[in-house]
């Protein structure tokens, strides 16, 4: 949906592809044309390069935008597009391959003068070598997939006895996720922040850094909440991070949008982690704060045009952060049951709106949420003149959001917006480990049962043909909707969850 909108604003037609379970997804309807790829397994649909190329050629496409999943960071896909005479809306294959191989990326960053986390720059042969390198670096260490990302193929090892089991587990997971079980080892840093720099680069050799994003609130290395700018980054540090990021991009001949990820220690030192050679899920917070449409810039750069932004973020550059933005990833997971995936028919959806509020969603009422793909349903983004105002707006927007039919991460995000450590900005990648007890405790059973009863009343009302759940809480006839009346009677501040 995000890419389709950008195409239409640029005056371009958009062709969507879909698998059988996604036939009723909004992007299929909103595109100018849509092509069925195949059945649910991604290997037979979204990961089938031949089918994707055929779909593009048969519909007269000139370019392919890979989004931020599936084949978006596969050099082989970018090469296949070029061989078919199609423009790949992203970096050149050589850059994808260089940054996709984590040990090669580390070598290149060291050569470019970018600080990297201490570790190996070649694949490990076996657990014996892994143990030897771990002892050299000092425990704890991380065993990581060379072809990895998103926390896949990664194991934290605290002593000699954990190396062999962690090595084999990480290798199996990496082989399954990436088709490559190669691993390397790096030093595990204590309580760092996850800070990333958004970059744009065009074919004329210009590279711009668009400030940082704070992505430290994670679960199993999967990001849950992101914000820009970071409370831990001063203008001087932003300048240093931006310079390192542009050097990293320049070292691989990068073109298009990309992200350089760093770990920032409590003492202010930072180290290169990896590069995402695509648009990021969390790109809207940067768009809010820097006033740049990153996807439209991607399209312009792919068409051979110069990008419309220049310089580095911070003092002395041309880009300066304006206000503060926060993004919550709304996923089909139950936060009160170890984030287990949730499935079912999305029976009702009420999307928040208002000042400084943005909803990037790929769902609508009636959609069947399955286990076939990533649980991300939508992204809710809030902007404010200050971080405090952005948090207030996010809290209000989350309270307005109504999703009926399956469990989501929404109540978890609401709790975070009220958490004292988060409000102070006292976060790092261990935040959820420390705060999980208060953030993930199941709500009182009676409250859940009441909320479910209210939700059932809402769905029944909807099926009877009434207009309910408007932002003012009233039906078409002007009276307050019965579900809102009942939820308030039961003391549910935010209505049905």
């Amino acid at each position: 949906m995000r890419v389709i909108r950008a195409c239409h604003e640029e005056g371009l037609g958009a062709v969507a592809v879909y698998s059988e379970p996604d036939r009723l997804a909004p992007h299929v309807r909103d595109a100018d044309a849509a092509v069925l790829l195949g059945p649910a397994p991604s290997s037979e649909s979204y990961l089938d390069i031949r089918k994707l190329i055929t779909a593009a050629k048969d519909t007269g496409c000139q370019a392919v935008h890979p989004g931020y999943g599936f084949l978006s960071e596969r050099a082989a896909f970018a090469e296949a597009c070029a061989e078919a005479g199609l423009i790949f809306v992203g970096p050149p294959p050589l850059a994808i391959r260089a940054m996709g191989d984590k040990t090669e990326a580390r070598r290149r960053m060291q050569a470019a003068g970018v600080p990297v986390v201490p570790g190996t720059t070649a694949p490990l042969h076996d657990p014996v070598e892994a143990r030897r390198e771990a002892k050299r670096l000092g425990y704890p260490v991380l065993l990581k997939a060379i072809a990895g990302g998103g926390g896949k193929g990664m194991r934290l090892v605290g002593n000699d006895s954990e190396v062999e089991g962690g090595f084999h587990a990480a290798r199996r997971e990496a082989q399954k996720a990436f088709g490559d079980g190669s691993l390397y080892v790096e030093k595990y840093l204590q309580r760092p922040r996850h800070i990333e720099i958004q970059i744009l680069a065009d074919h004329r050799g210009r590279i711009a850094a668009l400030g940082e994003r704070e992505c430290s609130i994670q679960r199993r290395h999967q990001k849950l909440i992101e914000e820009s700018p970071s409370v831990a980054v001063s203008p001087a540090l932003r300048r240093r991070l931006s310079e390192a990021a542009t050097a990293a991009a320049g070292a691989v001949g990068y073109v298009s949008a990309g992200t350089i990820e760093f770990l920032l220690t409590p003492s202010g030192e930072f180290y290169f982690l990896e590069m995402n050679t695509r648009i990021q899920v969390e790109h809207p917070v940067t768009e809010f704060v820097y006033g740049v449409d990153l996807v439209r810039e991607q399209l312009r750069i792919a068409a051979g045009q110069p990008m419309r932004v220049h310089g580095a973020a911070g003092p002395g550059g041309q880009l300066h952060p304006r206000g503060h933005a926060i993004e919550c990833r709304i996923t089909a997971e139950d936060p009160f049951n170890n984030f287990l995936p949730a499935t079912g028919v999305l029976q009702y959806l009420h999307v928040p709106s208002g000042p400084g509020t943005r909803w990037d969603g790929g769902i609508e009422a009636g959609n069947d949420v399955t286990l076939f793909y990533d649980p991300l349903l939508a992204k809710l983004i809030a902007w404010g003149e200050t971080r405090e105002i952005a948090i207030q707006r996010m809290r209000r927007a989350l309270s307005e959001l109504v999703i009926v039919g399956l469990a989501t991460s929404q109540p978890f995000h609401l709790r975070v917006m009220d958490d004292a450590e988060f409000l102070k900005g006292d976060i790092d990648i261990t935040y959820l480990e420390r705060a999980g007890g208060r953030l993930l405790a199941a709500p009182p059973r009676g409250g859940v049962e009441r909320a479910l009863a209210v939700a059932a009343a809402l769905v029944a009302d909807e099926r009877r043909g009434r207009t309910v759940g408007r932002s003012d809480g009233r039906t078409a006839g002007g009276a307050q909707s019965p579900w809102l009346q009942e939820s308030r009677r039961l003391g549910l501040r935010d209505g049905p969850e």
Side-chain angles (χ1 to χ4, degrees):
M1 292 294 290
R2 174 72 182 92
V3 176
I4 289 169
R5 287 172 176 143
C7 286
H8 287 165
E9 289 175 9
E10 282 288 307
L12 302 171
V15 175
V17 292
Y18 64 99
S19 67
E20 289 173 358
D22 286 341
R23 66 190 183 281
L24 298 180
H27 80 282
V28 176
R29 181 190 63 244
D30 282 22
D32 301 282
V35 178
L36 173 64
L37 292 178
S42 54
S43 61
E44 301 177 44
S45 52
Y46 297 118
L47 289 176
D48 191 319
I49 292 176
R50 179 186 57 83
K51 288 182 178 179
L52 289 162
I53 296 297
T54 299
K57 298 289 284 185
D58 287 350
T59 53
C61 288
Q62 297 168 294
V64 175
H65 193 298
Y68 47 67
F70 295 115
L71 296 169
S72 60
E73 293 185 279
R74 301 283 183 89
F77 184 43
E79 289 168 340
C81 289
E83 290 169 3
L86 297 163
I87 295 170
F88 182 77
V89 184
L94 287 176
I96 298 175
R97 189 166 279 115
M99 286 304 201
D101 182 322
K102 305 308 179 188
T103 53
E104 173 66 16
R106 287 168 60 84
R107 287 193 292 270
R108 295 224 184 185
M109 295 306 99
Q110 287 176 331
V114 179
V116 300
V117 180
T120 58
T121 55
L124 299 168
H125 293 96
D126 51 41
V128 174
E129 183 182 11
R131 188 177 293 111
R132 183 172 65 249
E133 292 296 336
K135 285 183 176 180
R136 179 180 66 83
L137 294 168
Y139 291 105
V141 299
L142 282 173
L143 295 171
K144 301 178 70 174
I146 282 178
K152 304 291 190 201
M154 185 184 300
R155 289 295 184 277
L156 176 62
V157 174
N159 54 57
D160 279 355
S161 64
E162 296 177 0
V163 171
E164 185 162 0
F167 183 91
H168 292 304
R171 170 166 282 184
R172 285 193 302 270
E173 189 173 86
Q175 184 65 43
K176 181 178 179 181
F178 313 112
D180 182 352
S182 302
L183 304 177
Y184 70 101
V185 62
E186 71 178 22
K187 177 68 178 172
Y188 179 74
L189 302 179
Q190 301 290 343
R191 293 191 61 174
R193 289 176 182 259
H194 185 125
I195 303 292
E196 59 189 32
I197 299 290
Q198 174 70 56
I199 62 103
L200 273 176
D202 63 19
H203 293 282
R204 304 187 181 194
R206 296 173 178 152
I207 305 174
L210 284 78
E212 81 281 357
R213 294 187 288 256
E214 170 79 68
C215 305
S216 296
I217 299 183
Q218 306 175 3
R219 178 181 176 272
R220 295 179 181 173
H221 306 286
Q222 293 286 344
K223 301 167 189 173
L224 302 174
I225 298 173
E226 302 96 0
E227 55 183 305
S228 180
S230 168
V231 299
V233 175
S234 65
L237 179 55
R238 180 174 300 120
R239 165 65 69 179
R240 291 170 53 213
L241 284 163
S242 297
E243 290 173 349
T246 54
V252 295
Y254 200 83
V255 174
S256 192
T259 301
I260 312 293
E261 300 191 343
F262 296 97
L263 292 178
L264 176 65
T265 68
S267 61
E269 299 169 319
F270 63 86
Y271 300 94
F272 171 82
L273 179 62
E274 64 181 9
M275 182 177 193
N276 293 120
T277 55
R278 52 174 168 79
I279 194 78
Q280 290 277 87
V281 176
E282 58 271 24
H283 75 272
V285 295
T286 297
E287 293 185 327
F288 255 141
V289 171
Y290 287 94
V292 176
D293 188 322
L294 291 169
V295 179
R296 289 188 70 176
E297 288 301 312
Q298 278 191 300
L299 295 172
R300 286 175 53 83
I301 291 168
Q305 301 177 54
M307 62 179 172
R308 287 173 285 199
V309 294
H310 307 284
Q318 298 182 31
L319 301 172
H320 301 274
R322 185 181 70 87
H324 200 97
I326 299 173
E327 174 180 289
C328 290
R329 300 192 187 195
I330 308 301
T331 59
E333 296 173 303
D334 185 351
F336 306 131
N337 190 16
N338 200 30
F339 282 91
L340 284 179
T343 62
V345 176
L346 202 160
Q347 298 175 349
Y348 181 85
L349 174 65
H350 174 74
V351 174
S353 59
T357 305
R358 171 172 163 179
W359 172 264
D360 279 16
I363 54 168
E364 60 187 12
N367 286 169
D368 189 10
V369 178
T370 70
L371 289 174
F372 293 124
Y373 310 118
D374 190 274
L376 183 65
L377 301 176
K379 302 177 294 181
L380 181 59
I381 310 100
W383 176 89
E385 292 85 354
T386 64
R387 185 173 188 263
E388 180 182 14
I389 294 173
I391 291 172
Q392 292 168 347
R393 281 184 170 163
M394 178 59 78
R395 186 185 295 120
R396 184 265 305 162
L398 285 165
S399 298
E400 287 183 8
L401 175 63
V402 180
I403 298 176
V404 177
L406 68 159
T408 74
S409 59
Q410 176 192 6
F412 161 78
H413 292 300
L414 267 169
R415 288 187 179 184
V416 173
M417 294 304 120
D418 286 327
D419 185 65
E421 283 188 64
F422 174 75
L423 293 174
K424 290 188 297 184
D426 184 16
I427 54 178
D428 56 62
I429 63 172
T430 69
Y431 168 75
L432 197 56
E433 297 172 21
R434 304 194 317 271
R438 60 181 180 269
L439 296 175
L440 303 177
R445 183 171 177 80
V448 173
E449 291 172 344
R450 288 195 298 270
L452 289 173
V454 173
L458 164 63
V459 175
D461 232 5
E462 180 79 358
R463 288 174 177 170
R464 283 196 294 268
R466 297 184 186 178
T467 302
V468 297
R470 288 173 23 164
S471 60
D472 59 2
R474 298 182 180 276
T475 65
Q480 276 199 341
S481 62
W483 70 269
L484 187 55
Q485 292 180 37
E486 180 66 4
S487 68
R488 287 175 175 165
R489 184 185 71 79
L490 294 170
L492 301 174
R493 178 176 62 88
D494 302 321
E497 296 180 353

